[in-house]
Each structure stands twice: as structure tokens, then as C-alpha cells.
Amino acid sequence: MSEPPLGQTQIGTTPVYAHVWEDAAELNAKLREIVLHRAATTPGLQKSQCGGWQSERNLQLWGDPAIDELLDRMRAMVKSVVRATVQNPGDDLLEGWDIEAWANVNQLGDTVTTHVHSGGVNMWAAVYYVDCGEDENAINSGFTRFLDMSGIPRPVSNKVQAAASTLSSRGEDGKANCTEPERTGEYDLESAPIPGKMIIFPATLPHYVTPYLGNQKRITIALNLRHTKFVVTDFENHFSRRRQMWRNYRGLMMAMYSVKKVVRENLAKYVPVDKWPTRLKRSLLGGGGI
């Protein structure tokens, strides 16, 4: 698959890349059917989302041709990103990307709290919009927003955006269990959801999703892009232990990483991921230390 052209915006000095696949209507229809079937038959996970459904992080192993096509498009786009960020990259940097993916289904009032995708060897993160749930010419909710982490002092604002001021949604017990500090979004970088749009950004960039106000199901696929031949400048925080392991014991970590990758890909050929024991899934699929 040819590498797509990139659109680029920045928040501070951090780039966010985007491409809209204009020929994605048929692919999106297939992905929608696959994801909604999973959502109807599996409980999913509770991670950063407030309400809605999120699959386990094994979508890349579901073995459906539509998912394989999406992953091919993701690999093609990350090649374009590498060319944009690395001078004269070799095949060792363009190829070999390991992708972890999961699906999200949101309905009226659902949202996603601020989070990052850093940890282990996650280098880039991505979002693919399958179905925005609203007329694509009149989308007014469910925006992905990236926090301004430039460190530039900003004037205190009296502007309050009610939809994003306090993120709240239902928990399994029907009670609100998701709150965040007030955000106006005034200095955040906003990405409008468009079916077929794929955005890639550094895994360390904090982001959230504003409350979805549509009546139909909003479907996205999130992805982590991993590679053992890149590094990310880091500082001491709760993700640093994982990065430190990669810096100080790189040979051992690469060996463990490669073994896990081979085991999970081969096991998925013979045993459906849904049939794996919980501890095995956590070991082979979790971002964790490796």
C-alpha cells in the first residue's frame, strides 16, 4: 500500500498528523459490523472511557480481512510519519512496527477522560474514526482534544464550556464515576471526527474526548504503535520504570518483547483470543513492562 500524504498541525512543538482515507466507506461499514458484534457479545474493559464500551486490546488479532486492511493503512501512514520526523530513514525504521489496537463505542453522554498512551515501547498513538454517529457535515460533539503541554503561561479565562467543564458519565452501578477538572479547551488542539480519518500523535501527548451528543453509535479504533529502535526523551514519572528497563536492559527486554510477539501471533492462529485465560491475555497483550 502506498504511503499517504499527511496533514500536520502542532500544539506547541508537538506534531499531530492526519490523513482522511477517501475510499474508506466500504471498509468502515465492515468495521462497524465487526465492532458492534463484539460489543454485543463481550463485556469489554473499563479504562479511560466514561460510559460506552471498549474492547480488549487485541483487535489486531481478530483475524478479519477488514481489520487487516485497517492495519495495512496504519502501517502505510506510520511510514509517512517516520519520513516526516526522521532524516533519510532506513527500512529498519520504516518497517517492523508492532500494532496494538482496540475498539470504542460511545453513545449519548459518553466521553473519554484525559490520558496518554505512553509505557513500554509505545512510540506513536493513533485514532481511526469508523462512524461519527452524526451527519458528517454537521458534527458538533465527540471531538478529540490534545492538551497544550507547551508550558507557556496562559491568561486565566472566565470562559466555561459546559460540555467539557466536568466530564461525567454512568458507571456499571448507574452512578456517575468519572469527573475531571474543568477544561475550557481554549488552548487545546481539537480534531474533528470524520469517517475515514486517521490521526497519529506522540504516545506521550495527553488527550481526551468531549462528550458525545449524538443519537447513533460513535465508533472509533485506537492504536498503539511500538518499535524497539526508537527512544523517547523522558523525565521521572510513573511511566519511567518501564522506560528505564528499556534503557538499562535493552537486550533482555528486546528478547522478551520478541518472544511475546511471536507467541501471541502464533497462538491466535489456533486459539481465538477470547478463549485465552485472563492471566495469559494480560501477559501477552498488556502494554506492561515490555
Side-chain angles (χ1 to χ4, degrees), residues 120-278:
V121 284
N122 293 346
M123 298 295 153
W124 296 94
V127 177
Y128 180 74
Y129 299 98
V130 177
D131 187 340
C132 300
E134 301 175 286
D135 183 339
E136 59 185 276
N137 296 314
I139 293 173
N140 63 4
S141 67
F143 293 94
T144 303
R145 285 188 179 159
F146 300 93
L147 266 61
D148 175 15
M149 301 298 290
S150 64
I152 299 173
R154 305 294 190 183
V156 175
S157 174
N158 293 322
K159 176 183 176 182
V160 175
Q161 206 168 61
S165 60
T166 301
L167 304 183
S168 178
S169 188
R170 303 172 303 281
E172 292 182 359
D173 57 0
K175 300 178 180 179
N177 68 343
C178 250
T179 58
E180 279 203 327
E182 179 179 295
R183 297 195 192 285
T184 66
E186 188 172 357
Y187 298 107
D188 296 343
L189 176 64
E190 184 171 88
S191 176
I194 301 171
K197 183 178 184 180
M198 185 177 281
I199 56 176
I200 299 184
F201 49 93
T204 55
L205 183 60
H207 54 287
Y208 62 100
V209 178
T210 64
Y212 173 59
L213 305 177
N215 294 317
Q216 304 301 318
K217 291 181 172 65
R218 176 186 186 273
I219 303 171
T220 62
I221 293 176
L223 309 99
N224 287 332
L225 306 172
R226 301 165 171 170
H227 206 295
T228 59
K229 293 193 175 182
F230 288 85
V231 295
V232 176
T233 302
D234 203 0
F235 65 97
E236 190 64 30
N237 57 48
H238 60 290
F239 291 111
S240 296
R241 184 184 64 83
R242 300 174 187 173
R243 300 260 186 221
Q244 186 177 35
M245 291 291 289
W246 274 95
R247 285 195 298 268
N248 297 342
Y249 305 98
R250 192 167 190 83
L252 174 62
M253 296 295 284
M254 285 187 67
M256 294 173 63
Y257 180 88
S258 298
V259 169
K260 282 180 60 172
K261 185 173 185 291
V262 170
V263 169
R264 69 172 179 258
E265 289 178 352
N266 282 281
L267 182 60
K269 294 177 182 178
Y270 302 101
V271 181
V273 179
D274 293 342
K275 302 296 184 182
W276 294 4
T278 300

